[in-house]
């Protein structure tokens, strides 16, 4: 029976590419984001292996409901990819807008915690896998100290979550890319990884036997 992966931020970029790659690798994919139209289009493209659920990850009840609906539809959840994230170009301390920081911290930090908290009861049943999108900016420096700090949080959380999940046979993986060619940045950047490259890394982590936990994958542009 096909395994099931729920992906947040599945309406574009890394999340959408991962949905396609995981479906090609034989997974059922549950697509979560706020853009209903984009989710429906992607779900139509993938076919029966996909289920689209409109969800704002900053609303805990919405992510809880999405997990429940996915579990009922596909008979359980084997993996959750908390990929939704936001960043503002001026996410530095001097030029940043504190109101934008609030939204960014909500999506990049609190919503990851909500997703993990709500996912664990489902993943315990399958000895499942929690994957989160960190960043090069969560390991290193970036001209945007506030955004970078949200990703440092993700890395600290992900590493410790892996230990908590190991207690019952679960696994956690941090995906840490450098610049990726998505709609994330307002202006084009010179050197970029393709979203499909990141998707391949996620599928690799998902495909490892349960005896091996890939804790982090760090991907840099190579053009
Ligand atoms: O960007 P983009 P990426 N509730 O803008 C969703 C990290 N990252 O694929 O709700 C639910 O194409 C949004 O969906 P929608 C980055 O920090 C990137 O590059 O429909 N979903 C969309 O699907 C992030 O964690 C780079 O607007 C919400 C998705 O998030 C992850 O990669 C480098 C939401 C964003 O897709 C994916 O970003 C790096 C909400 N409240 C890390 N708010 C890079 N691109 O260079 C947003 O190191 N979304």
């Amino acid at each position: 029976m096909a395994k099931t992966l729920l992906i947040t931020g599945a309406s574009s970029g890394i999340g959408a590419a991962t949905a396609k790659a995981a479906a090609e690798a034989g997974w059922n994919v549950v697509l979560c984001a706020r853009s209903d139209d984009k989710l429906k289009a992607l779900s139509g493209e993938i076919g029966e292996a996909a289920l689209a659920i409109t969800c704002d990850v900053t609303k805990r009840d919405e992510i809880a409901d999405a997990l429940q609906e996915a579990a009922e539809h596909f008979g359980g959840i084997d993996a959750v990819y908390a990929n939704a994230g936001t960043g503002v170009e001026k996410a530095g301390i001097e030029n940043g807008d504190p109101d934008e920081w609030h939204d960014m911290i909500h999506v990049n930090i609190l919503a990851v915690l909500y997703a993990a908290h709500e996912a664990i009861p489902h993943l315990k049943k399958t000895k499942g896998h929690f994957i989160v999108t960190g960043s090069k900016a969560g390991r290193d420096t970036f001209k945007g100290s506030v955004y970078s700090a949200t990703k440092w949080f993700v890395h600290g959380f992900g590493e410790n979550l892996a230990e908590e999940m190991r207690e019952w046979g679960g696994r956690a993986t941090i995906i840490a890319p450098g610049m990726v060619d998505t709609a994330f940045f307002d202006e084009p950047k010179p050197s970029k990884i393709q979203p499909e490259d990141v998707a391949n890394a996620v599928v690799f982590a998902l495909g490892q036997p349960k005896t091996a936990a890939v804790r982090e994958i760090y991907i840099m542009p190579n053009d």
Side-chain angles (χ1 to χ4, degrees), residues 9 11-12 14 34-35 56-57 83 135 147 151 177-178 180 182 185:
S11 61
S12 64
I14 294 168
R34 294 164 303 178
S35 306
D56 181 339
V57 292
N83 162 71
S135 177
Y147 171 76
K151 292 299 185 179
V180 189
T182 68
F185 291 98

Side-chain angles (χ1 to χ4, degrees), residues 121-174:
H122 294 280
L123 296 178
K124 266 190 156 175
K125 292 179 190 162
T126 54
K127 292 194 182 356
H129 200 153
F130 189 86
I131 303 179
V132 63
T133 303
S135 177
K136 172 189 182 292
R139 269 276 168 260
D140 199 348
T141 51
F142 172 72
K143 286 180 193 162
S145 53
V146 184
Y147 171 76
S148 181
T150 67
K151 292 299 185 179
W152 275 78
F153 177 95
V154 165
H155 282 244
F157 172 64
E159 287 183 16
N160 286 282
L161 178 69
E163 286 301 321
E164 280 190 39
M165 292 181 69
R166 188 182 177 187
E167 295 286 313
W168 43 265
R171 292 178 289 182
T173 303
I174 301 159

